[in-house]
Amino acid sequence: MKRLISLTVNGENHEVVVEPRTTLLEVLRDALGLTGAKEGCSLGNCGACTVLLDGKPVLSCLLLAVEAQGKEIVTIEGLAEGGKLHPLQEAFVEHGAVQCGFCIPGIILSAKALLDENPHPAEEEVKEAISGNLCRCTGYSNAVRAILAAKVKEEGER
Amino acid sequence: MRQYRVIGKPLRRVDAGVKVTGEALFAADVKLPNMLHAKILRSPYPHARILRIDTSKTEALPGVKAVITGKDVGPIRFGFVDTPRYPADQYPLAIDKVRYVGEEVAAVAATDEITAIEALKLIEVEYEPLPAVFDPEEAMKEGAPKIHDEIVPNTTCAWQDWGVGRAARPFKVERNICATTSISYGDIEEGFAQSDYVREARFFVPATSHAAMEPHVVVASYDPTSGKLDVWLCHMSLAVKQYWLSKTLGIPQSKIRIHGCYTGGTFGGKIDLFAHEFLAAFLSMRTGRPVKIVLSREEVFMACRLSHRMIIDLRIGVRADGKIMAQHVKLINDPGAYRGSSPVVMFLAHAFRIPIYDIPNWKHEGVGVYTNKSICMPRRGHGSPQMSFAAEQLLDMIAEDMGMDPAELRLKNVRKPGDVLPNGDRLDSCGLRVGIQKIIEATGWKEKRGRGNYRGIGMGLSAMFSGAMYYPFASAAIVKLNPDGKATLFTGQSEFGQGSDTAMSQIAAEELGLDLEDIVIVSGDSELCPIDLGGFLSGGVYVSGEAVRRAAEDAKRQLLQVASEMLDVEIGSLQIENGRIFPKGNPQKGVTFAEVVRYNIQKHNGDPIIGRGFCKPVPEVEFYPSLTKGAGRFTDAYGFIVAVAEVEVDPETGRVKVERVTIADDCGQPINPANVHGQLLSQVVMGVGDALFEEIVTEEGRIVNASFEDYKIPGVYEVPEFVHIPTGTFEPKGPFGGKEVGEGARAAVIAAIANAVADAIGARIYSLPITPEKVLEALEAKKRSR
C-alpha cells in the first residue's frame, strides 16, 4: 500500500510516495536524485549508504523511508554551503583521502557525526567512528588524518 | 634529481572535489527517461543440463517488457581470452547447460526493479543436475565429469579482429584442461646439478574477491533510428568493453559510446565484458528503451570474477655461494567453469618473476583446469601475488638451510639496471638492489630478524609491467589549445580511483609549461577520446602518459613555431614559462599562449593549435608475446617493489597482527608523490587482507561467504603502520621518468607478511590466508616434531 510521506532532507521539505518497504536510500537516490549516498551491499555491511538522521549516522539501505519522517536527514549534498566545501570535505581533498570516491560520502558523514558530538576526538575515537565504513582503495589512514585535521581547522575558524 | 614545475609535486587530485560533495557521477547514478530495470535469473546448480525453460507466466506479468533466454540470444561467444589457440568459451545466457552456480540463464526487463524481481520467480526452468567437479586435480583425472565439449569458434577471434592473421581453431577439451603453459630457458637439470641447496614445496592460493566498493552496474540505451548504443558502465578499459559489445551485438564500434563516468574501484575486476552488460544492451535493442542492471553484492561475488586459485609446486636450487641456479615451477590453475584469464595468469606468474632474480636455468609449466566454480580473472598483480607468495617463501627456506640472511641471498641475485631478460626485455631502470639496501637500514632488519618471542620480520620482492602488448596495442591523446591559452586534454584513460586524471593532467601541464589548474581533462569516454590501452597491465603512466606528453609536446612545437614568427626569434632561442613564450633572458618581450593561439587563427587560416600524440607499450614488436611459450617482448619497463613486514603473533589464539609494512618502491620518477603514496598504502592494506583472512569459501560450488558480513575485507582497525622509502630511480623511456606504481606492491606485501610470520613462529604456512587455525596448527606441528 503506497503512502505519501514528508521528509526533511538537508533542510528542505519533500513529499514523496513510498511503499512501506521502500528504504530511505531508495528515496534519496531514486525519488530525490540525491545520489551521493551509495549502495554498496544493501545489507548494512559496507557503510557506503551512510546519512545522518537527527545528527546520528544511519545506514540508509536498512532504514525504511517511513521511519525517517519527522527527522532531520543530512546527506553529503547538504554539507557544502554556498559553494564552499565543509572543513571535513576540504580536509579529505587536502590529505589525499579520496581515491575512487565511492565510499567517501559515507565516511565523511560518519566523521561529521563524530565531530558534531565530540569536537576533540582522539585517533582511536576517529577510527571507531568510521569502523563501519569499508573502503577498498585508500587504506583509511589518510581519512583518519583528514578527520583529525578537520577538527583543528574548525577550531581555527571559531 | 630533476627539477620539474608540476611533476613530482603532491598536488591535490583533480577529481577529489566532486568526490567529496557527492557530485561525482557513477554508472549507478545514471537515470534515463523511460528507463527499464532488468534482472538476471542465475543457475542454482554447479553443473546441470537445461531441459526446458517456460517464460509464459513471466511474460503475462504486468510491467514486464521483455524476457530472454539462451534461445533468444543464440550461441554468441565471448571471453577475456580469444586467440587462435584458445577461442572464447562463454555465452551471455546459458544455452543447453549451466556450469557454475550463478551462471546467467534468463533475463527480464520490467518497468521497475521490484517487478523484474517478481518476474524472475515466474520463470520455470527444468534442470537435469549433472555430476560436478570442484577440485582441479580431480577434474584432470580420467572419468571426471566433462564440463565442456569441443569449443568450436563460430566467428573470427579477437586476435584476427585486431590484425593478427591467424584464424581461431576448434579447442578440444581433454581431461577438462583449458590451457597449458611451458616456458623454459637454460638447462634445468644442469642447474639443479650445480646447486648445493635444493628445496621444494607445494603452495596453495585460494580465490578472493576484488570487492571494489561499487557493485557492477550498466545502463544501456539503444536508438534504433541512428543505430547507436549509449552505455554507462564500470570499466577500466574503453577499448575492451567497446570491442566486445560491438562483436557480440553486431553494432559497429563507432556507434557504441561508452560514456565517461567514474568507476568505483576495479583492481582488475571490471576489465572483462560481463554477461549483464551484453544483456542490458540486448534488452534495450529489443524493447527500444534504456535498460539498467544493478548487480547485488552477492551477484558480484558469484558472477563478476574472482582472483585465480593456484596450486604451485616449486623447486629452487642455490649454489653454496648464494647464487640461485635453477627454478622449476609446476602450477595448477583452476579458473572455474570458463577459461577466464587462465593462460594469461599462468604466463604472468612467470613474466612478473623473471625481472626480479637472475636465474640462469628456469622451467615454468602450468596447466589450467575447468571446474564447476565461479570464473577467475585478473586481480591486482594477476599471478604475481600467487607466485610471489610461493617463491619468496621458498627462498627464505633455502636461506635458512644455508644459514644466510634472506636479505643477503636476495642481494646476491636481484637484477640490476642494464640487465637483459631472456625474452629480450631490457631493464633501463631497476631499483631492487638500492631498495633492499635502503630497507635493511630503515627497518633495523638485522637486529629484528630471528629475535623470537613471536615477533617476526620478513621480506618480499615483486615486479610489474608498465603496460604490455594487448589490444588495442596503443594509447593516443589530444591536447587542444583554447583561445584563453589554457588546454583541454582528451585521453581514453579512465578514472577508477588510481589517479589517472590527475597524473595525465600533470604530465600535460608539465610539458606545456602550464599549471595543473590550466588543464581541463576529458577522459573515459569512447566518443570523445582517442584509442587507449586503459588502466590494466599498469600502462597508465608509462604508455598513456607518454602519449599525453607527446600530444602536449606537439602542441608546444606548434606554439613555438607561431611565437617564433610573431617575435621574429628563432625557435631555439625561445623559452616557455607560465603560459608565456619569450626570447631567452628577455621575459618582457614575450607573448602569451592566448596571444599565440589568436594570432595563429588570424594568420594561418583558422588553425587553433591541436596537438596529438601516441605511444605503443613495446615499440619494437607488433603483437602479443606467446602466452604458451613465453617468447617475445613483454613490456618496456618494470616497476619494482621491496616490502618488509613486521608482525606479532599471539601464540594462544594464533592471531597475526601486522604492525608495520615498509615499502621501498621503484616507480621511476613519481608523477604525483601523494598518489604514489596512496597507491602503495592501498596495496599494503589490501595485502593484509589477502595474507591473513580473505578467501572465497565454496560448498558444492556455491560460494557460502558472498557478502561483506561473511567475506571480511580490511577495515580501519586492520591498517598497519606504513613506511614508504622511495628509491629515487628514473626510467629514461618513461614520461618524465615515470613507470608503474599501482599494481605490483600487493604481491610483495603478501610475501613479506608470510615470511614475517615464519620468522615469528619458526614454522611455515604454505597456504593463504594465514588464519589463526593454520598458525596454531603450525605451532602444534613444530612442538610435536621436537
Side-chain angles (χ1 to χ4, degrees):
Chain A
M1 185 81 70
K2 287 189 174 168
R3 50 194 282 201
L4 186 70
I5 63 166
S6 172
L7 294 176
T8 311
V9 184
N10 303 328
E12 289 171 24
N13 234 18
H14 298 273
E15 300 214 316
V16 285
V17 177
V18 300
E19 307 232 13
R21 66 182 169 198
T22 309
T23 65
L24 178 60
L25 180 63
E26 288 170 317
V27 171
L28 292 173
R29 289 183 55 84
D30 301 340
L32 304 182
L34 296 170
T35 53
K38 301 298 183 197
E39 183 172 11
C41 71
S42 318
L43 295 171
N45 296 320
C46 79
C49 65
T50 304
V51 299
L52 302 184
L53 198 69
D54 285 344
K56 299 260 185 279
V58 293
L59 297 167
S60 64
C61 77
L62 296 184
L63 190 77
L64 297 176
V66 292
E67 296 177 277
Q69 288 187 95
K71 312 245 165 101
E72 289 284 335
I73 301 158
V74 173
T75 71
I76 193 70
E77 290 88 349
L79 257 60
E81 275 179 39
K84 194 171 175 298
L85 295 183
H86 184 275
L88 261 172
Q89 293 172 315
E90 187 64 40
F92 269 63
V93 174
E94 179 73 34
H95 289 270
V98 178
Q99 288 190 20
C100 89
F102 198 79
C103 67
I104 294 298
I107 296 182
I108 290 179
L109 288 168
S110 292
K112 183 174 189 303
L114 170 73
L115 293 188
D116 288 348
E117 181 95 341
N118 173 7
H120 305 282
E123 186 171 328
E124 278 310 304
E125 292 171 306
V126 169
K127 285 185 180 175
E128 194 191 336
I130 64 167
S131 61
N133 295 86
L134 292 179
C135 170
R136 192 59 148 170
C137 297
T138 67
Y140 305 98
S141 302
N142 291 344
V144 172
R145 284 199 304 135
I147 296 163
L148 289 168
K151 170 193 74 174
V152 174
K153 204 170 225 173
E154 273 190 304
E155 279 168 1
E157 281 172 5
R158 271 183 211 132
Chain B
M1 207 64 180
R2 287 162 179 78
Q3 282 307 309
Y4 294 118
R5 174 192 177 81
V6 183
I7 296 293
K9 305 262 189 311
L11 301 175
R12 292 172 165 213
R13 289 175 69 114
V14 298
D15 56 340
V18 293
K19 286 179 174 176
V20 296
T21 59
E23 198 190 311
L25 184 85
F26 293 86
D29 305 333
V30 173
K31 191 175 172 181
L32 300 178
N34 212 21
M35 188 169 81
L36 299 173
H37 296 264
K39 289 282 169 192
I40 296 166
L41 185 72
R42 298 178 181 278
S43 168
Y45 293 101
H47 199 193
R49 206 176 301 286
I50 298 173
L51 299 179
R52 184 182 65 91
I53 305 181
D54 184 352
T55 60
S56 53
K57 285 182 191 151
T58 319
E59 282 153 25
L61 187 73
V64 170
K65 298 297 169 188
V67 189
I68 52 171
T69 69
K71 277 206 179 100
D72 301 287
V73 171
I76 293 171
R77 294 277 195 185
F78 74 103
F80 183 72
V81 174
D82 188 22
T83 65
R85 185 188 179 98
Y86 299 124
D89 58 1
Q90 293 175 246
Y91 295 123
L93 287 177
I95 292 184
D96 50 356
K97 229 172 98 156
V98 286
R99 297 176 173 87
Y100 71 97
V101 175
E103 182 161 3
E104 298 82 2
V105 172
V108 176
T111 46
D112 62 273
E113 235 177 321
I114 301 287
T115 306
I117 291 168
E118 291 302 314
L120 287 189
K121 295 177 191 161
L122 299 174
I123 300 176
E124 292 172 14
V125 187
E126 196 183 324
Y127 294 100
E128 177 199 339
L130 298 169
V133 61
F134 308 110
D135 179 308
E137 291 181 292
E138 290 298 319
M140 272 191 289
K141 288 182 181 160
E142 292 299 338
K146 206 167 151 37
I147 298 174
H148 286 268
D149 296 324
E150 185 175 34
I151 294 154
V152 183
N154 52 16
T155 171
T156 53
C157 69
W159 275 34
Q160 275 175 292
D161 296 341
W162 287 96
V164 181
R166 276 191 288 147
R169 304 187 293 272
F171 184 83
K172 209 158 177 253
V173 184
E174 281 166 5
R175 296 188 297 132
N176 288 313
I177 290 170
C178 71
T180 53
T181 297
S182 180
I183 303 169
S184 64
Y185 52 82
D187 183 335
I188 193 75
E189 295 311 323
E190 186 60 30
F192 281 115
Q194 291 167 1
S195 300
D196 300 296
Y197 294 87
V198 176
R199 280 293 294 255
E200 55 184 283
R202 171 170 266 211
F203 298 87
F204 298 85
V205 181
T208 58
S209 173
H210 305 80
M213 295 318 298
E214 176 201 39
H216 297 53
V217 176
V218 57
V219 178
S221 178
Y222 181 73
D223 171 23
T225 63
S226 62
K228 263 196 76 178
L229 178 71
D230 285 281
V231 187
W232 291 259
L233 44 69
C234 319
H235 72 90
M236 43 197 304
S237 165
L238 293 171
V240 171
K241 297 284 187 189
Q242 193 188 37
Y243 164 71
W244 277 108
L245 283 172
S246 164
K247 176 141 185 165
T248 52
L249 294 160
I251 299 174
Q253 281 182 53
S254 296
K255 295 220 168 185
I256 296 176
R257 179 175 185 181
I258 314 290
H259 282 257
C261 58
Y262 292 110
T263 295
T266 56
F267 318 112
K270 289 169 179 172
I271 185 61
D272 220 353
L273 177 80
F274 294 99
H276 68 268
E277 294 164 345
F278 167 90
L279 292 171
F282 188 89
L283 285 164
S284 179
M285 291 171 80
R286 184 158 273 214
T287 58
R289 294 170 66 168
V291 174
K292 184 173 190 172
I293 298 180
V294 180
L295 297 192
S296 69
R297 181 57 60 181
E298 187 186 16
E299 286 180 293
V300 173
F301 272 99
M302 286 192 298
C304 292
R305 318 294 183 256
L306 303 168
S307 71
H308 277 280
R309 313 165 187 98
M310 275 191 196
I311 303 170
I312 301 167
D313 285 306
L314 183 61
R315 188 167 185 238
I316 293 179
V318 179
R319 218 164 51 191
D321 63 355
K323 169 80 184 157
I324 307 173
M325 294 307 296
Q327 170 165 322
H328 191 179
V329 180
K330 283 187 196 168
L331 66 86
I332 299 169
N333 166 234
D334 165 10
Y338 294 89
R339 189 180 282 119
S341 63
S342 178
V344 187
V345 77
M346 292 196 294
F347 159 71
L348 291 176
H350 165 75
F352 291 152
R353 295 297 306 176
I354 60 163
I356 302 174
Y357 301 110
D358 182 3
I359 304 174
N361 307 292
W362 196 305
K363 195 163 191 181
H364 179 91
E365 298 169 291
V367 56
V369 191
Y370 290 122
T371 62
N372 292 109
K373 301 207 294 285
S374 294
I375 309 166
C376 297
M377 282 288 291
R379 186 181 158 212
R380 208 175 201 172
H382 201 194
S384 175
Q386 292 92 331
M387 191 52 75
S388 301
F389 171 73
E392 293 292 313
Q393 285 213 90
L394 197 61
L395 278 181
D396 265 35
M397 291 159 68
I398 295 171
E400 197 181 322
D401 291 349
M402 299 175 75
M404 187 185 268
D405 177 349
E408 190 58 37
L409 178 63
R410 285 175 172 82
L411 273 175
K412 281 179 189 284
N413 289 282
V414 286
R415 292 191 183 273
K416 53 189 189 307
D419 277 9
V420 177
L421 309 188
N423 72 318
D425 284 353
R426 193 182 67 231
L427 307 181
D428 287 325
S429 58
C430 174
L432 283 172
R433 182 174 299 274
V434 60
I436 295 173
Q437 284 162 345
K438 282 188 172 195
I439 214 164
I440 287 174
E441 286 303 312
T443 55
W445 169 267
K446 291 198 164 109
E447 298 76 53
K448 285 179 182 167
R449 215 177 145 73
R451 79 200 120 140
N453 206 19
Y454 300 103
R455 305 189 74 187
I457 188 166
M459 186 179 284
L461 272 50
S462 63
M464 178 53 54
F465 292 171
S466 301
M469 293 301 284
Y470 190 88
Y471 57 79
F473 302 109
S475 290
I478 296 165
V479 169
K480 173 172 78 97
L481 261 295
N482 297 318
D484 60 2
K486 301 181 193 310
T488 307
L489 165 65
F490 298 83
T491 164
Q493 279 282 295
S494 54
E495 180 60 66
F496 47 81
Q498 84 282 39
S500 65
D501 275 5
T502 308
M504 297 302 123
S505 300
Q506 280 183 263
I507 289 169
E510 183 70 43
E511 185 64 37
L512 285 167
L514 291 171
D515 289 330
L516 181 59
E517 296 71 33
D518 297 330
I519 307 292
V520 171
I521 184 166
V522 179
S523 66
D525 190 309
S526 68
E527 199 149 295
L528 306 177
C529 307
I531 192 167
D532 198 275
L533 274 186
F536 68 118
L537 288 162
S538 281
V541 160
Y542 189 81
V543 184
S544 302
E546 176 62 11
V548 167
R549 195 198 62 74
R550 289 175 187 171
E553 185 182 50
D554 184 30
K556 185 169 81 175
R557 183 186 51 76
Q558 297 174 51
L559 284 166
L560 283 169
Q561 205 164 8
V562 181
S564 157
E565 184 184 315
M566 289 169 80
L567 297 167
D568 197 18
V569 176
E570 272 183 38
I571 290 178
S573 306
L574 290 173
Q575 190 177 340
I576 290 191
E577 213 175 282
N578 210 5
R580 292 179 80 251
I581 303 173
F582 49 85
K584 280 177 187 164
N586 188 5
Q588 286 79 26
K589 208 196 151 195
V591 287
T592 64
F593 280 12
E595 287 166 336
V596 175
V597 172
R598 291 198 292 261
Y599 174 94
N600 200 45
I601 287 172
Q602 294 300 328
K603 300 284 183 183
H604 294 147
N605 206 19
D607 178 359
I609 302 190
I610 296 171
R612 67 186 198 115
F614 42 86
C615 184
K616 221 169 124 181
V618 183
E620 298 86 0
V621 299
E622 280 189 37
F623 291 118
Y624 317 73
S626 159
L627 297 179
T628 306
K629 297 282 164 210
R633 294 281 311 278
F634 304 160
T635 189
D636 215 23
Y638 290 87
F640 292 102
I641 301 92
V642 181
V644 165
E646 294 169 59
V647 305
E648 187 171 359
V649 178
D650 181 340
E652 299 301 317
T653 62
R655 214 174 150 263
V656 177
K657 185 173 184 339
V658 181
E659 295 186 315
R660 185 182 297 113
V661 174
T662 306
I663 288 185
D665 82 297
D666 164 17
C667 67
Q669 162 71 45
I671 303 300
N672 184 319
N675 280 359
V676 166
H677 186 277
Q679 285 300 305
L680 294 174
L681 173 61
S682 169
Q683 296 178 83
V684 166
V685 177
M686 194 175 258
V688 169
D690 290 304
L692 301 185
F693 46 83
E694 290 189 39
E695 177 177 19
I696 292 291
V697 180
T698 57
E699 278 173 17
E700 295 294 301
R702 173 183 292 278
I703 300 173
V704 294
N705 57 344
S707 75
F708 286 140
E709 180 77 34
D710 300 313
Y711 182 98
K712 294 282 182 206
I713 66 170
V716 70
Y717 289 125
E718 273 80 33
V719 179
E721 182 190 345
F722 167 49
V723 181
H724 176 207
I725 307 169
T727 55
T729 54
F730 184 91
E731 169 53 49
K733 303 185 296 311
F736 303 109
K739 54 181 181 175
E740 179 275 336
V741 71
E743 190 173 1
R746 178 177 161 242
V749 171
I750 298 168
I753 294 172
N755 278 333
V757 170
D759 182 47
I761 66 173
R764 279 285 148 194
I765 290 167
Y766 297 90
S767 67
L768 285 174
I770 301 168
T771 58
E773 295 76 24
K774 290 181 194 169
V775 170
L776 290 177
E777 206 175 289
L779 284 170
E780 270 304 308
K782 195 178 122 191
K783 238 188 251 168
R784 280 196 304 270
S785 71
R786 272 208 198 117

